[in-house]
């Protein structure tokens, strides 16, 4: 489903609507061909009350899946925000160590952000990122921060905060990589789509003696089911698709090249 989920929202909506209408049309055609003779009475004997429990189960499935994908997307966005904030704090704290240490820290943070945007994000979109990918630049930045020799209480405090910020960035990176593997599995998609097909089949059989009304009701439910599937599909993968989380925040906090003057504030 990668090619489908990576479509722009408009094309994704068109594809899902087309598939929904195609299934509804196929069910209508099959039921109309079978609704002859005694079978039409058998179909009419099916109570319309069956639609209520089927619709309730469908609504519950949609609610559970929507809650899952929204929660994963929110957690992924929070992880990226936390990583960007921690890196920004590390850049600002590096101002307390002018000279080679400051230049080295800024260069390593810049390398980490560049690697994250250019390499990690495409891998996360393909579900190919995992925790075996070591962030060498950020790990080196942590070693540099730990090796600093503070002069005075101010630099000692800045070193502790610098180490904590880099560790926070490492933890946030781990979380976004873990969340990049989240998705709606085949079993959940299958349960949702089978439930929608059962409702369409029940509608077609209950109204088999009213062709026009049957087509209208099938079209209405097919549209609603397609909207629910679109809602879940568009948010099913936090780092891929039209509504995916981008590395824009990380790029915003990338430190500039060169060595800023001491106490100059944000670069």
């Amino acid at each position: 489903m990668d090619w489908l989920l990576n479509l722009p929202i408009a094309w994704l909506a068109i594809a899902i609507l087309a598939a929904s209408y195609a299934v509804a049309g196929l069910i209508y055609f099959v039921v109309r061909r079978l609704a002859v003779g005694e079978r039409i009475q058998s179909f009419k004997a099916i109570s319309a009350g069956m639609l209520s429990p089927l619709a309730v189960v469908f609504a519950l499935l949609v609610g559970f899946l929507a809650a899952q994908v929204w929660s994963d997307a929110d957690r992924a966005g929070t992880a990226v925000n936390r990583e960007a904030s921690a890196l920004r704090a590390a850049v600002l704290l590096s101002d307390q160590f002018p000279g080679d240490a400051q230049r080295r820290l800024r260069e390593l943070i810049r390398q980490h952000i560049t690697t994250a945007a250019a390499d990690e994000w495409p891998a996360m979109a393909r579900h190919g990122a995992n925790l075996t990918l070591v962030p060498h630049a950020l790990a080196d930045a942590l070693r540099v921060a730990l090796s600093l020799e503070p002069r005075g209480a101010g630099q000692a405090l800045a070193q502790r905060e610098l180490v904590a910020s880099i560790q926070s960035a490492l933890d946030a990176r781990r979380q976004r990589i873990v969340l990049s593997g989240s998705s709606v599995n085949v079993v959940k998609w299958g349960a949702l789509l089978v439930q929608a097909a059962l409702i369409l089949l029940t509608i077609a059989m209950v109204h088999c003696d009213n062709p026009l009304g049957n087509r209208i009701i099938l079209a209405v439910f097919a549209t609603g089911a397609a909207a629910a599937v679109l809602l879940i599909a568009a948010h099913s993968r936090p780092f891929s698709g039209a509504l995916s989380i981008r590395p824009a925040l990380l790029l915003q906090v990338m430190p500039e090249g060169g060595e800023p003057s001491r106490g100059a504030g944000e670069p």
Side-chain angles (χ1 to χ4, degrees), residues 226-249:
V229 172
L230 174 64
L231 175 69
I232 296 169
H235 296 86
S236 60
R237 297 182 178 182
F239 294 97
S240 61
L243 301 181
S244 62
I245 299 170
R246 308 294 182 182
L249 280 177

Side-chain angles (χ1 to χ4, degrees), residues 210-236:
N210 184 358
L212 179 58
N214 202 353
R215 289 194 296 268
I216 293 173
I217 298 173
L218 285 173
V220 169
F221 180 78
T223 304
V229 172
L230 174 64
L231 175 69
I232 296 169
H235 296 86
S236 60

Side-chain angles (χ1 to χ4, degrees), residues 53-89:
L54 289 173
V56 169
V57 173
F58 179 77
L60 289 174
L61 288 173
V62 170
F64 289 148
L65 294 182
Q68 173 195 327
V69 298
W70 286 340
S71 174
D72 289 344
D74 287 343
R75 290 164 58 200
T78 300
V80 174
N81 292 342
R82 188 158 69 90
E83 183 179 4
S85 298
L87 292 174
R88 187 55 174 165

Side-chain angles (χ1 to χ4, degrees), residues 88-89 91-95 102 106 252-256 260-267:
R88 187 55 174 165
V91 171
L92 295 177
L93 289 166
S94 69
D95 290 346
Q102 182 187 36
R106 285 172 170 262
Q252 288 177 12
V253 302
M254 180 181 291
E256 298 176 358
S261 60
R262 188 171 184 180
E266 296 187 3

